Amino acid sequence: MANSKFQLGSFENPVKFKEQDYCSLKDASLKSGSLFCDPTFPAEQKSIGMPEDPKPENAVEWLRPKDICDNAVFVEGSIGTTDICQGQLGNCWLLAALSCLTMHPKLFGKVVPSPQSLTQDYGGIFHFRFWQYGEWVEVVVDDRLPVRGGRLLFSYSRSKNEFWSALVEKAYAKLMGFYSSLKGGNISEGMEDFTGGIAYSQPVSAFKPPVLWRQLTASLSRGSLLSCFIQAKTWRDIGTVTSEGLVKGHAYAITDTDKVQSDSTEVLLVRLRNPWGFVEYKGPWSDKCKDWAKVEKSEIERLELKKQEDGEFWIAVEAFSSLFDLVELCSVSPDTLHDSSSSSSSNSASSWSLSSYEGSWVPGCSAGGSRKYRRSFWTNPQYQLSLNTADVEGEEDEDVEDDDDEDEEDKVALSPSAEKQKAKGQKCTVLVELLQKDRRRKGTVKFIYIAFHIYKIPPELQDSVGCLDQKFFTSQKPVGRSGKYQAIRGVYRRVNLEPGNYVIVPSTYRPNKPGDFFLRIYAKTGNTLGHEEFTCSTGFLNLVMSNPPMPEDQIRVDDWFDQEDVSDDRLDAAAFMGLVNSVLEKDYHLPIETCRQLVLGEDTGGRARLDRAQALKLVTSLRKLQSTFIDHDEDSSGTMSPFELAEALKESGLKCDSEVVKVLWERFGSGDIHLPFHGFVSCVTRLRGLNELFESAGPELKQHGMNTWLLSLLAL
């Protein structure tokens, strides 16, 4: 049983994936004498996630390690980078990250708990731990592995009797949904899921070769995971092998750096590993290159140079700089990020605080798109960050990139106050990362384009209640951003900001793209992060329903009552529908159900019939709502989007948060992203009734506020 003193989701007390407890399942297996068979990830084609090959010779069978190899072991000797070879699955990104992990025993032990064995206390069950959006998750698997022609179909070890890497791959595939979910990806995903750290990309061209070598050396010494790749210009180039023996669009693990003397010249070297386990670099300082003849034998032995096709090789840093495009780095501690020295204090990590939040982009409600979509951008989720003077770093600012892919006049720029503060060199360092969640869980990878922007909140708005509105975002420029929108799992940026209050806005490039996300911010202890919500006004419907009647409204209502055969001078829902639709424009006529809702919302003494005064009030209000609806129907479609609904309600006297708008839309929009006029009227009518109930409620119900009241009752 997990120690209760540790929070659920911590490494010491991980979340149990599929609610499977490793210890109890293993005990049951050992007591019964039968090997564990995992019902949640069965040994069937559906777990692979790809159509079955109809050819009999390509049939897949699921075998346990001891059925594949007589002397099967979990680990053969010690863990090493050559334990991992890529099989028939395009997941080099994951295996390269796993290769990097083997260089750090403590980190490796977090993912692959020990002891685990294929001989002692063997029950056919294994467990592994992965970081997932702020929490550690423990995944249990049986050891039945997909085999074709007697060989493992996917990941395998160069030691044919070793199976730990294949089992880690299976556990990760189970976490993602299928083996096919692992096709294609960025190595930073694997790095972060193996460590819980922050990963980021760095262009190789940013540094001269000797400086780059020192950066790589320092990063490795601090325990960072490193990889690199050559960018493929087109999809056709992915997987092609260059004349130097390097693969385009393919992830390589950076496993070491070193230097040797060749005659009188010092050569700076970088060691790389191809997850394929073969296809190696053929240039200078490759395994079988004659350059090694000029190096002392003792140096060659120290470097453990292996002249065999195992996927691992050395390359001079000058060649590395000219042939590779990007380096991926992942560090567990914020103090080791962007730090060219290795002299960080051992207890410096304690000076950082982590704030995190899980949110969603909901089409029509909180998926407002990029800054290009000015009328809806403000509806994206907003998170406040406060930086105080105690957190000032006293360092130069990192310039905000002017690489915006939005309107030309919408370029990112530092505010005048930020420029002034930059000159003083007084800044607070903040690390922000935005991850989109669960985009692999259905067998395919569907990343959407994401980014985040950071805005400084002016002093005059810092005490205002509610989220910042459209006017703010159209008049202000961001002081920081993640860069261009990218279709990758995570975007990251280190920013240096002056003390003050800020708002962070995560967004998708286009509006109405649904998705869940995880936002985390590292800042010096004392900074705070909060999710700012709208506050509802308790008197909003009085503004909506108390418009003074126009003379023409009075005439139309009187004429209707006088000319129609109105019993006891009152209108039922059907008669009221005739009156309303004679006043409203044709495209905005109301159906009988909406009219019934309006009639029942009035105090009719239980008769469900309107007198002249009530009919006049409703006609006047409906004409006002029609004008508001038309004003906010930007494309003149006769319908309204949820973004437009929020603005229309605000103009009508209601300022409600995205959660209220979302519930309203689910109730009256039926999941569509086009709301007709009668749906808008139903929203207002429903809110009117809830407002009256709230006003008449006792203090014990009011203590939770109008917003909570609306959310609880709108769902009824």
Side-chain angles (χ1 to χ4, degrees):
M1 185 173 181
N3 193 328
S4 59
K5 76 176 182 178
F6 295 114
Q7 180 180 359
L8 182 63
S10 64
F11 170 71
E12 297 82 0
N13 185 20
V15 173
K16 300 183 188 305
F17 188 64
K18 301 286 186 181
E19 299 183 351
Q20 291 178 300
D21 181 74
Y22 169 71
C23 292
S24 61
L25 290 172
K26 182 178 180 181
D27 288 345
S29 178
L30 293 174
K31 288 179 181 178
S32 67
S34 60
L35 298 180
F36 175 66
C37 293
D38 186 5
T40 67
F41 198 65
E44 300 173 4
Q45 188 69 27
K46 66 179 182 180
S47 294
I48 294 178
M50 292 179 281
E52 188 173 2
D53 194 319
K55 298 179 180 178
E57 62 270 24
N58 292 333
V60 174
E61 55 181 337
W62 295 75
L63 302 177
R64 297 186 189 268
K66 291 184 178 181
D67 297 326
I68 302 172
C69 179
D70 292 337
N71 60 337
V73 294
F74 186 68
V75 176
E76 174 71 19
S78 59
I79 300 295
T81 56
T82 56
D83 293 347
I84 308 151
C85 297
Q86 185 178 345
Q88 299 178 43
L89 191 63
N91 63 340
C92 63
W93 61 275
L94 178 68
L95 302 183
L98 195 56
S99 292
C100 295
L101 188 69
T102 63
M103 305 298 297
H104 307 282
K106 289 185 178 179
L107 295 177
F108 183 85
K110 296 180 73 173
V111 175
V112 186
S114 62
Q116 298 196 75
S117 173
L118 283 163
T119 54
Q120 297 179 346
D121 293 328
Y122 171 66
I125 182 172
F126 294 85
H127 67 132
F128 305 93
R129 296 189 180 112
F130 306 104
W131 181 88
Q132 288 286 282
Y133 313 112
E135 60 186 15
W136 284 89
V137 179
E138 182 175 66
V139 181
V140 170
V141 292
D142 63 34
D143 60 350
R144 294 177 294 175
L145 298 168
V147 173
R148 176 180 288 160
R151 300 183 61 180
L152 287 173
L153 186 60
F154 302 128
S155 175
Y156 62 94
S157 172
R158 290 190 68 82
S159 299
K160 301 301 182 182
N161 63 326
E162 182 179 63
F163 289 90
W164 73 263
S165 60
L167 290 169
V168 171
E169 180 186 54
K170 180 176 182 179
Y172 197 77
K174 176 180 176 179
L175 181 67
M176 295 297 115
F178 311 94
Y179 274 100
S180 62
S181 299
L182 308 185
K183 284 185 175 181
N186 193 304
I187 192 173
S188 62
E189 290 182 63
M191 287 179 167
E192 291 189 339
D193 288 351
F194 292 152
T195 65
I198 291 182
Y200 67 100
S201 299
Q202 182 172 284
V204 173
S205 60
F207 301 98
K208 294 182 179 180
V211 178
L212 175 63
W213 184 87
R214 290 196 294 271
Q215 290 274 3
L216 298 178
T217 302
S219 295
L220 287 169
S221 69
R222 294 192 299 267
S224 297
L225 276 61
L226 279 72
S227 72
C228 58
F229 65 92
I230 301 170
Q231 289 182 316
K233 293 182 179 180
T234 68
W235 66 269
R236 294 184 180 87
D237 291 336
I238 296 175
T240 59
V241 181
T242 68
S243 59
E244 295 88 359
L246 299 173
V247 185
K248 293 182 179 180
H250 183 62
Y252 288 81
I254 301 177
T255 59
D256 199 4
T257 61
D258 215 314
K259 53 188 175 182
V260 295
Q261 287 292 131
S262 176
D263 292 335
S264 59
T265 304
E266 183 179 67
V267 181
L268 304 179
L269 298 172
V270 180
R271 190 174 69 188
L272 306 182
R273 173 123 208 299
N274 182 348
W276 287 355
F278 57 93
V279 182
E280 294 188 6
Y281 173 59
K282 300 176 182 178
W285 299 101
S286 57
D287 287 359
K288 301 177 182 179
C289 179
K290 295 180 180 180
D291 294 324
W292 292 104
K294 301 178 182 180
V295 178
E296 293 287 339
K297 184 178 179 180
S298 60
E299 285 288 274
I300 294 177
E301 292 176 350
R302 182 180 62 81
L303 294 178
E304 299 180 349
L305 178 66
K306 299 176 182 178
K307 297 184 178 182
Q308 61 185 28
E309 190 80 357
D310 59 2
E312 194 163 68
F313 56 88
W314 291 94
I315 182 173
V317 70
E318 290 80 9
F320 177 85
S321 296
S322 64
L323 295 173
F324 284 86
D325 297 306
L326 283 177
V327 171
E328 294 274 352
L329 303 94
C330 180
S331 177
V332 177
S333 169
D335 289 287
T336 61
L337 291 165
H338 301 271
D339 185 1
S340 60
S341 68
S342 58
S343 59
S344 298
S345 172
S346 60
N347 62 356
S348 60
S350 62
S351 65
W352 292 87
S353 62
L354 169 64
S355 299
S356 59
Y357 192 84
E358 294 183 272
S360 300
W361 292 296
V362 179
C365 295
S366 59
S370 66
R371 295 170 62 234
K372 179 179 180 180
Y373 301 91
R374 299 174 183 272
R375 293 187 66 88
S376 60
F377 176 75
W378 71 275
T379 64
N380 285 301
Q382 300 177 25
Y383 303 90
Q384 284 193 353
L385 174 67
S386 298
L387 302 174
N388 51 56
T389 53
D391 308 313
V392 170
E393 291 292 306
E395 59 182 279
E396 287 300 315
D397 187 28
E398 177 181 296
D399 289 336
V400 178
E401 290 186 13
D402 191 21
D403 61 351
D404 206 327
D405 53 351
E406 300 162 18
D407 291 344
E408 191 65 30
E409 70 274 13
D410 208 20
K411 296 289 187 180
V412 173
L414 290 174
S415 65
S417 59
E419 290 285 4
K420 182 178 179 181
Q421 196 68 25
K422 178 180 176 181
K424 295 180 180 180
Q426 299 296 301
K427 298 286 181 175
C428 304
T429 301
V430 180
L431 311 176
V432 183
E433 184 182 41
L434 172 65
L435 299 171
Q436 49 184 312
K437 295 177 59 178
D438 305 329
R439 306 300 295 187
R440 292 183 177 273
R441 294 261 170 101
K442 294 183 179 180
T444 56
V445 184
K446 295 182 179 179
F447 289 122
I448 51 180
Y449 285 83
I450 62 170
F452 63 80
H453 294 76
I454 305 173
Y455 291 81
K456 180 74 179 291
I457 302 177
E460 63 271 17
L461 295 180
Q462 290 177 7
D463 296 328
S464 62
V465 177
C467 284
L468 298 167
D469 58 15
Q470 178 185 340
K471 181 180 178 181
F472 171 84
F473 291 105
T474 54
S475 62
Q476 299 291 322
K477 296 288 186 180
V479 296
R481 68 191 299 264
S482 58
K484 291 184 177 181
Y485 284 84
Q486 299 182 70
I488 57 178
R489 186 178 74 161
V491 291
Y492 158 85
R493 179 54 62 93
R494 168 186 179 267
V495 291
N496 295 313
L497 303 170
E498 62 182 22
N501 292 328
Y502 296 83
V503 61
I504 301 174
V505 184
S507 63
T508 60
Y509 181 67
R510 296 190 184 280
N512 297 321
K513 291 291 183 181
D516 298 321
F517 63 82
F518 176 76
L519 180 71
R520 57 176 168 170
I521 297 94
Y522 285 95
K524 289 298 181 181
T525 301
N527 298 330
T528 58
L529 175 72
H531 180 219
E532 184 67 24
E533 296 189 66
F534 282 117
T535 301
C536 291
S537 165
T538 58
F540 64 90
L541 284 168
N542 290 329
L543 296 177
V544 175
M545 308 305 291
S546 301
N547 301 289
M550 299 294 290
E552 57 268 28
D553 294 338
Q554 183 75 60
I555 295 173
R556 294 294 292 271
V557 171
D558 286 342
D559 287 347
W560 190 269
F561 270 79
D562 293 339
Q563 294 176 11
E564 298 293 326
D565 184 15
V566 177
S567 176
D568 67 0
D569 209 35
R570 287 180 177 270
L571 300 179
D572 61 16
F576 177 66
M577 180 178 69
L579 168 61
V580 168
N581 291 341
S582 72
V583 175
L584 298 176
E585 295 184 20
K586 182 179 180 180
D587 292 338
Y588 299 92
H589 284 184
L590 301 181
I592 186 64
E593 286 302 320
T594 305
C595 292
R596 286 197 184 103
Q597 185 183 13
L598 288 166
V599 172
L600 292 173
E602 295 295 314
D603 182 9
T604 62
R607 288 186 278 182
R609 295 161 68 85
L610 302 173
D611 60 24
R612 292 191 183 221
Q614 291 169 329
L616 177 59
K617 183 185 72 169
L618 288 176
V619 166
T620 301
S621 296
L622 288 168
R623 288 189 62 189
K624 174 62 177 176
L625 289 178
Q626 178 184 253
S627 298
T628 301
F629 189 92
I630 292 173
D631 289 342
H632 290 85
D633 178 14
E634 297 179 16
D635 57 1
S636 301
S637 64
T639 61
M640 184 178 286
S641 73
F643 300 129
E644 296 165 341
L645 172 63
E647 284 292 286
L649 291 174
K650 180 180 176 182
E651 183 177 310
S652 301
L654 169 65
K655 188 179 183 182
C656 56
D657 70 6
S658 59
E659 287 300 312
V660 172
V661 175
K662 178 183 176 182
V663 174
L664 280 171
W665 200 268
E666 290 174 347
R667 186 175 182 88
F668 299 107
S670 302
D672 198 354
I673 59 171
H674 302 288
L675 186 75
F677 176 64
H678 67 81
F680 176 55
V681 173
S682 294
C683 287
V684 174
T685 304
R686 178 65 170 160
L687 290 173
R688 175 192 181 192
L690 293 179
N691 176 70
E692 292 175 350
L693 285 174
F694 182 78
E695 287 299 308
S696 62
E700 67 280 0
L701 293 177
K702 286 187 176 182
Q703 63 179 337
H704 299 296
M706 181 68 163
N707 193 62
T708 302
W709 173 273
L710 289 175
L711 287 174
S712 61
L713 293 185
L714 279 173
L716 297 178

